[in-house]
Amino acid sequence: MFYSMYAYLSNLPRLHVLGMAMVAYVVYYLIQVVKRPIIACSDGPFKQYLIRQVPTLENKYWPTFWCVESRAQTVLASLLRSKSLPRVNYRREILPLKDGGEVALDWMEEGCDERAPCILILPGLTGESQAEYIKCLVFAAQQAGMRVVVFNNRGLGGIELKTPRLYCAANCEDLCEVIQHVRRTLPAQCKLGATGISMGGLILGNYLARKSDEARSILSAAKIISVPWDVHKGSASIEKPVINSLLGRHLAGSLCRTLSNHLDIYREIYQDSDIDIQRILRCKTIKEFDELFTAKQFGYAHVNDYYSDATLHNKLDHISVPLLCLSAADDPFQPLDAIPIKAANQCTHVAIVITARGGHIGFLEGWWPSTKDQYMGRLFTEYFTKALFDEDGEFQHTANKMHERFLAKQTVALAASSSSSSSSPLLLNKKLDAGTLDHKVKLM
């Protein structure tokens, strides 16, 4: 039978074979690729609001027909945006920090009303305000009449280090100062939102969880995109051969270049320590860099302790700011089984939108991807336009109902905790604010 089928296919004209292959691919694309996104969120006010007010969530996501593979989406999205999006003319502000360090805040306010809301954007691992995915969101916000401020981490965006400290995914001290400064700078009537992309999402998510009350008093809404929910699994995923590991090596190289730009300040500090700067500059993976440099600089005994402290999937219950998250099921930096779907389905303030395709910060769509109207930017604009302008007050009313459920859930959890153990609620709050510091060893 197989021989007969082989003989039949071998005698078919090549155009017929090509046509059959195209039909087969179209069927595959329509059945396996084009899907409506999953919304992981508890059945309550937030989910109901999103379904009513964010139309993109009700529509199927149509990835670019000829570019559906996750790594291809990741790389092509970066290339297309970098080639087509112009440089943004920001207004730069240098913010001195309490420990003597400095960060750069890049503002985009052209064409915005004085009462326009503001969105604070946190870039990824080595990203800064001119990164292509940041510009995508900046232009989307500008078209919607919202002002934007991009928070460049220490040592990035062309800023020299004033102290021997860079940044890490588990530390949100700098973000606390930035958010408080931005809130003081804006007019009182302007609402403030925040978005974190990739590692920026980890920093923002940790801030929302550890500083829950403070965040709720300042931020009206938040969003994170392509965040590595479980850093352990994300690190393992990015080291898989062959293409994933190539992406990982590229990012590790960017980390090494960032460090090499500030060698003068580190040579003097670490010349008599166990930190070998030249060895660090030869790192080939992100985990190797974090093990030799990041974990030690921020006082962790081991890189796994750092990753456990940075991870987000077990902290969702502590978030009290409405948080919309966008993740792709095929993200090469984060496997599907690491996305905390079950936790989100029980959480009052977190909704995770999971598309079947999209890669890492990709989310290209259409026959030829447009850089002006992309899935990632459209969802970003729809959510923040409704949440921050909130002309009819519906979002604020929804947020109040969400907080009532949040407090009720906390009360039940504390009652159950006190009845089953002698642990004090104060100890629980202290653990949260400290950010799980059990494994830390102070080295600096």
Side-chain angles (χ1 to χ4, degrees):
M1 182 180 77
F2 292 106
Y3 177 79
S4 300
M5 184 173 291
Y6 172 77
Y8 170 73
L9 292 175
S10 300
N11 292 323
L12 279 176
R14 291 183 179 178
L15 287 178
H16 289 190
V17 175
L18 180 62
M20 291 172 64
M22 285 296 297
V23 169
Y25 181 75
V26 169
V27 171
Y28 163 78
Y29 176 80
L30 294 175
I31 295 176
Q32 295 293 328
V33 177
V34 179
K35 294 180 181 293
R36 184 176 285 107
I38 296 170
I39 305 176
C41 182
S42 65
D43 290 326
F46 194 28
K47 187 173 185 177
Q48 294 167 7
Y49 180 86
L50 292 173
I51 291 173
R52 285 197 312 271
Q53 299 293 345
V54 184
T56 294
L57 298 180
E58 284 295 284
N59 299 325
K60 292 182 177 181
Y61 169 51
W62 295 74
T64 298
F65 182 77
W66 45 270
C67 182
V68 299
E69 203 275 332
S70 63
R71 280 73 57 92
Q73 278 259 338
T74 302
V75 174
L76 185 63
S78 178
L79 291 174
L80 285 176
R81 292 170 188 152
S82 62
K83 296 296 183 182
S84 58
L85 293 175
R87 185 176 178 84
V88 181
N89 295 317
Y90 295 105
R91 173 177 66 83
R92 170 152 289 192
E93 176 186 9
I94 304 300
L95 176 65
L97 301 172
K98 293 177 181 177
D99 69 347
E102 287 182 351
V103 295
L105 302 180
D106 288 336
W107 293 80
M108 167 53 76
E109 303 168 295
E110 290 183 9
C112 293
D113 184 85
E114 63 178 15
R115 298 173 61 89
C118 180
I119 304 173
L120 173 67
I121 299 181
L122 286 72
L125 186 63
T126 57
E128 40 78 41
S129 58
Q130 295 294 345
E132 34 77 24
Y133 57 90
I134 297 297
K135 293 191 289 185
C136 173
L137 299 181
V138 168
F139 287 127
Q142 185 183 30
Q143 290 176 358
M146 294 180 283
R147 68 185 91 195
V148 168
V149 54
V150 182
F151 166 30
N152 299 282
N153 281 308
R154 299 189 191 211
L156 296 176
I159 296 297
E160 291 186 6
L161 282 181
K162 298 296 184 180
T163 61
R165 167 177 160 173
L166 282 171
Y167 53 89
C168 82
N171 188 289
C172 55
E173 293 172 359
D174 291 355
L175 177 59
C176 288
E177 292 190 51
V178 167
I179 287 181
Q180 291 168 7
H181 170 76
V182 171
R183 181 63 275 177
R184 290 193 301 267
T185 302
L186 292 171
Q189 70 273 18
C190 292
K191 292 185 177 180
L192 177 62
T195 294
I197 301 93
S198 194
M199 194 197 76
L202 282 174
I203 297 174
L204 177 58
N206 278 298
Y207 168 76
L208 295 175
R210 294 173 182 167
K211 303 289 185 180
S212 183
D213 292 339
E214 175 187 312
R216 185 174 179 271
S217 69
I218 299 176
L219 298 176
S220 297
K223 187 174 189 290
I224 57 180
I225 301 169
S226 294
V227 66
W229 294 98
D230 186 329
V231 184
H232 295 284
K233 291 184 177 180
S235 175
S237 179
I238 199 60
E239 292 182 11
K240 290 180 179 178
V242 169
I243 302 178
N244 282 22
S245 62
L246 290 176
L247 293 174
R249 286 173 69 101
H250 171 73
L251 288 175
S254 296
L255 284 170
C256 293
R257 285 191 293 274
T258 298
L259 180 59
S260 68
N261 290 335
H262 308 285
L263 277 185
D264 291 341
I265 195 169
Y266 281 109
R267 280 202 184 101
E268 182 178 347
I269 295 294
Y270 293 135
Q271 61 182 352
D272 297 322
S273 73
D274 63 340
I275 296 181
D276 184 349
I277 293 295
Q278 294 305 318
R279 170 71 182 86
I280 295 169
L281 293 177
R282 296 193 297 271
C283 287
K284 301 300 182 184
T285 68
I286 298 172
K287 187 170 184 177
E288 184 183 12
F289 183 92
D290 287 338
E291 181 177 11
L292 296 176
F293 181 76
T294 310
K296 291 182 178 181
Q297 188 180 51
F298 283 88
Y300 293 93
H302 192 274
V303 66
N304 287 334
D305 300 327
Y306 164 42
Y307 284 179
S308 294
D309 200 18
T311 205
L312 272 185
H313 71 280
N314 54 354
K315 300 173 184 172
L316 302 189
D317 277 345
H318 305 302
I319 295 174
S320 60
V321 173
L323 174 64
L324 180 64
C325 315
L326 176 61
S327 294
D330 65 349
D331 189 334
F333 289 21
Q334 185 66 98
L336 176 60
D337 64 358
I339 300 176
I341 297 174
K342 184 177 180 180
N345 282 331
Q346 300 172 351
C347 189
T348 58
H349 282 75
V350 178
I352 306 177
V353 177
I354 307 162
T355 57
R357 307 291 174 129
H360 188 73
I361 326 177
F363 303 102
L364 297 177
E365 60 183 350
W367 286 97
W368 182 254
S370 168
T371 54
K372 295 182 178 180
D373 183 27
Q374 297 178 1
Y375 190 88
M376 182 175 75
R378 188 165 65 253
L379 186 60
F380 169 86
T381 303
E382 288 178 358
Y383 175 61
F384 279 118
T385 298
K386 292 294 183 180
L388 299 183
F389 283 106
D390 195 25
E391 296 175 352
D392 57 3
E394 184 181 359
F395 185 80
Q396 185 59 54
H397 178 68
T398 300
N400 291 338
K401 290 168 65 177
M402 290 161 61
H403 195 59
E404 290 174 4
R405 290 165 62 98
F406 175 79
L407 294 176
K409 188 176 179 180
Q410 272 197 331
T411 302
V412 171
L414 287 173
S417 176
S418 61
S419 63
S420 62
S421 69
S422 58
S423 296
S424 164
L426 285 174
L427 187 61
L428 181 66
N429 289 332
K430 183 179 179 182
K431 181 179 179 183
L432 230 168
D433 289 337
T436 331
L437 297 176
D438 300 346
H439 301 295
K440 285 192 175 183
V441 178
K442 198 65 180 173
L443 298 180
M444 290 186 62

